[in-house]
């Protein structure tokens, strides 16, 4: 990867990280209603994968999907306004933290039901097949979803029909509060299941944005060529608890310390240094990201509340509210 591209990906990850920190702070101030599932620590997966996709590809994410929404074109202002129930939010204050969606950029939603979106991604891939395009669908999911029936059903059907779909597992070691290793018979909960469905199952360092970009690019080329689905397991670690009500005290201190030293931003900075990028260029990227998020926070704070009359819009395909007739 060339230095300018990596610097741009680094800046995008910093924007995501600072937006997640802003969401955390706004929640503590009582300005974010409901819970949030922060993706700080997961940035390299969303940013790296999106760098390998086309604008017309489809992406499906989980309730921990802020990073995917931003990687696919949602702005920090749109996301924060949605979390703060503002009219300018990504979904007009109707989705909240767990349902960020921007269909115009291929971000076809975040889903709160564990594993439910995996068959949907297979359906989107099937639609591409029917329409004769070479689009692909990508479903991001957590390690806990690998023990859900929908995971196995989606992989099986995708394999049988050779669908152009990638399944990307963000393995952060914990399914909510339970270590995935305690309840799973294989070492790699996602990748080790792939051979049962006769599809490739690969692993990648999910904190290395370059490694993720390269892995997804290779599997995307394979899918576009008609060779069917694949599964990528990306090892990562969340910096916060499962949700805002979780202090994450169940995680061993030495484990947390070890993973925090393997931070996606630090890894990207190290790669930039190796490529000869001056420190002031990296600092400038940090400052630009900070400015973007600070302006987003201010804009979201000052945005109007949604019009109550808008509650019954967007419930039918024509955008209207007369869905019963």
């Amino acid at each position: 990867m060339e230095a300018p591209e990596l610097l741009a990906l680094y800046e995008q990850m910093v924007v995501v990280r600072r937006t997640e920190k802003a969401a955390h702070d706004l929640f503590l101030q009582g300005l974010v209603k409901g819970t949030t599932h922060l993706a700080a620590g997961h940035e390299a997966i969303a940013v790296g994968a999106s760098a390998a996709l086309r604008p017309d590809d489809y992406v499906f994410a989980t309730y921990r999907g802020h990073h995917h929404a931003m990687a696919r074109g949602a702005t920090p202002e749109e996301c924060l306004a949605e979390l703060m129930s503002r009219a300018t939010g990504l979904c007009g204050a109707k989705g909240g933290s767990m349902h960020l969606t921007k269909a115009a950029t291929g971000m076809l939603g975040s889903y709160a039901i564990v594993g439910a979106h995996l068959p949907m991604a297979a359906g989107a891939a099937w639609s591409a097949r029917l329409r004769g395009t070479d689009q692909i669908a990508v479903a991001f999911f957590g390690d806990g979803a690998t023990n859900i029936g929908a995971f196995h059903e989606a992989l099986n059907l995708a394999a049988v029909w050779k669908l152009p779909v990638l399944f990307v597992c963000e393995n952060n070691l914990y399914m909510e509060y339970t270590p995935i290793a305690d309840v799973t018979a294989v070492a790699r909960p996602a990748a080790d299941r792939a051979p049962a469905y006769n599809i490739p199952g690969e692993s990648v360092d999910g904190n290395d944005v370059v490694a993720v970009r390269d892995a997804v690019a290779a599997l995307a080329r394979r899918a576009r060529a008609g060779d069917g689905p694949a599964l990528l397991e990306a090892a990562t670690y969340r910096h916060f608890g499962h949700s805002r009500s979780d202090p994450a005290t169940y995680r061993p201190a030495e484990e947390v310390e070890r993973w925090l030293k393997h931070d996606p931003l630090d890894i990207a900075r190290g790669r930039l240094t190796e490529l000869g990028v001056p420190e002031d260029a990296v600092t400038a990227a940090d400052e630009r990201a900070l400015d973007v998020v600070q302006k987003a926070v201010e804009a979201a704070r000052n945005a109007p509340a949604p019009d109550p009359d808008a509650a019954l819009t967007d419930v039918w395909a024509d955008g209207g509210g007369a869905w019963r007739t």
Side-chain angles (χ1 to χ4, degrees):
M1 180 180 291
E2 298 296 325
E5 181 183 1
L6 180 55
L7 185 60
L9 296 183
Y10 169 78
E11 185 171 336
Q12 192 175 16
M13 288 195 294
V14 177
V15 168
V16 173
R17 175 70 60 85
R18 289 195 175 279
T19 303
E20 296 288 75
K21 179 60 166 60
H24 169 79
D25 294 343
L26 291 166
F27 179 90
L28 295 180
Q29 295 169 29
L31 295 175
V32 173
K33 309 303 180 184
T35 191
T36 56
H37 302 80
L38 301 180
H42 287 216
E43 299 90 352
I45 299 173
V47 172
S50 289
L53 300 178
R54 292 192 332 211
D56 63 338
D57 289 331
Y58 302 122
V59 166
F60 297 79
T62 72
Y63 47 76
R64 196 183 313 281
H66 303 166
H67 53 324
H68 294 296
M70 285 183 276
R72 290 299 285 178
T75 67
E77 179 183 340
E78 288 176 318
C79 293
L80 292 174
E82 184 65 29
L83 269 61
M84 296 168 68
S85 302
R86 301 295 200 253
T88 56
L90 193 57
C91 301
K94 295 178 181 179
S97 175
M98 292 192 283
H99 300 289
L100 298 180
T101 303
K102 191 165 186 175
T105 64
M107 175 62 186
L108 297 190
S110 307
Y111 297 84
I113 299 175
V114 176
H117 60 300
L118 302 184
M120 296 173 65
W126 178 240
S127 80
R129 170 76 60 77
L130 286 177
R131 289 179 288 106
T133 73
D134 62 350
Q135 295 166 284
I136 65 171
V138 184
F140 296 92
F141 57 98
D143 46 276
T146 62
N147 288 334
I148 297 292
F151 167 79
H152 298 274
E153 294 166 2
L155 261 64
N156 181 66
L157 191 62
V160 169
W161 288 350
K162 294 190 70 174
L163 298 178
V165 56
L166 305 184
F167 299 99
V168 181
C169 176
E170 298 184 45
N171 184 354
N172 61 26
L173 308 186
Y174 290 88
M175 38 188 302
E176 291 196 31
Y177 322 114
T178 304
I180 186 67
D182 289 356
V183 295
T184 306
V186 292
R188 301 183 303 169
D192 285 345
R193 261 76 174 263
Y197 300 103
N198 196 31
I199 67 175
E202 300 182 8
S203 297
V204 69
D205 181 353
N207 285 3
D208 185 338
V209 69
V210 176
V212 173
R213 196 284 307 265
D214 291 348
V216 172
L219 296 177
R221 285 194 297 270
R222 181 182 178 278
R224 293 190 209 282
D227 292 331
L231 192 151
L232 181 66
E233 183 168 334
T236 188
Y237 203 74
R238 48 178 161 83
H239 289 188
F240 293 94
H242 169 68
S243 66
R244 292 312 316 127
S245 60
D246 172 23
T249 54
Y250 48 84
R251 301 192 299 187
E254 60 274 15
E255 175 188 281
V256 174
E257 181 182 5
R258 182 174 69 254
W259 275 97
L260 291 181
K261 289 180 179 178
H262 192 61
D263 186 292
L265 301 184
D266 292 340
I267 293 172
R269 287 190 197 100
R271 283 187 174 274
L272 288 167
T273 298
E274 292 173 359
L275 290 173
V277 176
E279 182 63 29
D280 60 352
V282 178
T283 300
D286 288 328
E287 292 173 349
R288 288 192 298 269
L290 176 60
D291 183 61
V292 165
V293 177
Q294 286 179 334
K295 289 178 178 176
V297 170
E298 191 64 22
R301 281 178 176 273
N302 294 325
D307 184 343
D309 291 340
L312 295 180
T313 61
D314 302 316
V315 294
W316 194 243
D318 62 1
W323 55 277
R324 293 182 183 274
T325 60

